[in-house]
Amino acid sequence: MLYRPLLLGAFLGSALVLLGCASTPSSPNRSVQVAGETFDLSSLEPTRADVVKAALAQIGTPYVYGGATPHRALDCSGLTLVAHQAAGMSIPRVSTQQQAAATPLRGHPKPGDLVFFKTGPSQYHVGIMVDEQRFVHASTSKRHVRLANLGSNYWRERYLGAGSYL
């Protein structure tokens, strides 16, 4: 009878040690390195960081109108769709639908938020903010996914606003 409490104590002690080992998660990689630059995402909420990380991973992917295939062919709204899907989210496919369905933002967009532009009489464009000034987008003029500065004259003049699904 005296051995039963000792045996139970030994069993519970072993279980706690195993649980402690099993519950020690490896810290997720919260930084992304692209073209020699490191983006620290550690201050972002996990879903927001996942969207930004997925968008940055597509830099260099060829621009193809109607493209929504990661690392092969993306257009602007295909990029935003793929980045949100990587974070487990579903958003509309087309940039104008993405803008209509997103929660409109007042003030400056945060990393992971979408930024919308009117680039022609009936042409609209979308990108994903990655830091305070830059966004990732599938560029028609440069023919690939790249970073751009929201404060540049070109983008400032065409800016329609920002929205979020986060």
Side-chain angles (χ1 to χ4, degrees):
M1 292 295 230
L2 189 56
Y3 295 108
R4 202 175 271 178
L6 290 175
L7 187 58
L8 180 60
F11 173 76
L12 289 175
S14 298
L16 288 174
V17 168
L18 289 174
L19 282 173
C21 291
S23 66
T24 307
S26 59
S27 61
N29 184 1
R30 299 298 299 267
S31 65
V32 178
Q33 195 162 30
V34 178
E37 183 175 0
T38 300
F39 294 84
D40 180 9
L41 309 178
S42 62
S43 66
L44 302 180
E45 302 151 11
T47 304
R48 196 172 281 278
D50 289 346
V51 169
V52 172
K53 193 174 190 177
L56 288 169
Q58 298 306 318
I59 289 180
T61 298
Y63 172 88
V64 175
Y65 180 78
T69 306
H71 306 292
R72 292 200 175 202
L74 293 170
D75 65 8
C76 65
S77 58
L79 169 65
T80 55
L81 175 79
V82 163
H84 281 79
Q85 284 175 339
M89 302 172 69
S90 178
I91 67 171
R93 171 62 179 94
V94 179
S95 62
T96 52
Q97 293 171 351
Q98 289 175 358
Q99 184 176 17
T103 300
L105 299 176
R106 302 212 187 283
H108 199 75
K110 299 178 193 172
D113 292 336
L114 300 181
V115 284
F116 300 98
F117 307 91
K118 185 168 184 182
T119 55
S122 60
Q123 296 164 334
Y124 294 88
H125 192 64
V126 61
I128 299 175
M129 292 299 293
V130 297
D131 60 24
E132 289 296 314
Q133 284 300 314
R134 295 177 298 174
F135 64 97
V136 176
H137 70 114
S139 172
T140 57
S141 63
K142 299 293 182 183
R143 310 297 302 163
H144 64 273
V145 176
R146 63 188 305 256
L147 286 169
N149 192 313
L150 188 60
S152 75
N153 287 339
Y154 180 85
W155 293 113
R156 231 183 21 248
E157 292 170 3
R158 290 159 178 80
Y159 186 66
L160 293 175
S164 188
Y165 289 91
L166 302 168

